[in-house]
Amino acid sequence: MSEKYEVGRELTGKVTGIQPYGAFVALDENTQGLVHISEITHGYVKDVSEHLAVGDEVKVKVLSVDEEAGKISLSIKATQEAPEVTEAPARPKKERKPRPQVNKEQQQIQLDATNASGFNTLKDKLEDWIKQSSDREKLLKK
């Protein structure tokens, strides 16, 4: 088998079966190999049957031969020229608005305003909770 089907050799075969993971290709009456889904064509292949059908004659390249297991790995895309890579159109960049510079005094004023609008620091809230708790205890004693 290795003499007839050596790695790198290009052959013509016939598709004999389609599976979700690839296609089986008969190289002669007694030998067939597998073209894995990733070796069918350049680019993404979702469904093998969209690219190949049983009975199709295809040109393949031998990728590997495992004589012990009796398996031959084939590639169709290795027989094809890779498409030219074109860069995707650049997305327009969003304009960044410059952040206004804020000094420490302004930051403290902003923090105080935030706290006044209902957002308290944990320290402030803890003091409120302690006061509420002691008020509750006083009410329960009465």
Side-chain angles (χ1 to χ4, degrees), residues 36-108:
H36 187 267
I37 190 169
S38 64
E39 293 295 329
I40 290 174
T41 189
H42 296 279
Y44 179 72
V45 175
K46 182 177 181 179
D47 185 3
V48 177
S49 59
E50 289 179 2
H51 298 270
L52 299 171
V54 173
D56 285 355
E57 204 164 282
V58 292
K59 188 175 178 183
V60 294
K61 185 173 190 174
V62 178
L63 297 179
S64 69
V65 178
D66 183 348
E67 287 191 49
E68 288 180 24
K71 294 181 179 181
I72 300 175
S73 293
L74 305 170
S75 173
I76 296 172
K77 81 176 181 183
T79 65
Q80 304 166 343
E81 198 170 310
E84 233 179 82
V85 178
T86 57
E87 289 187 29
R91 285 193 265 168
K93 291 186 177 182
K94 290 182 181 178
E95 281 189 41
R96 287 191 170 174
K97 296 177 184 173
R99 286 186 171 181
Q101 294 296 324
V102 179
N103 64 32
K104 297 268 185 201
E105 203 174 301
Q106 287 175 322
Q107 283 179 337
Q108 189 58 47

Side-chain angles (χ1 to χ4, degrees), residues 1 4-5 16 25-33 70-72:
M1 176 168 40
K4 196 172 184 181
Y5 303 111
T16 59
V25 175
L27 302 174
D28 62 33
E29 291 179 13
N30 301 317
T31 312
Q32 69 177 3
K71 294 181 179 181
I72 300 175

Side-chain angles (χ1 to χ4, degrees), residues 118-129:
F119 293 98
N120 297 330
T121 63
L122 187 58
K123 180 183 171 197
D124 294 339
K125 203 64 177 159
L126 184 60
E127 289 172 3
D128 287 345
W129 292 333

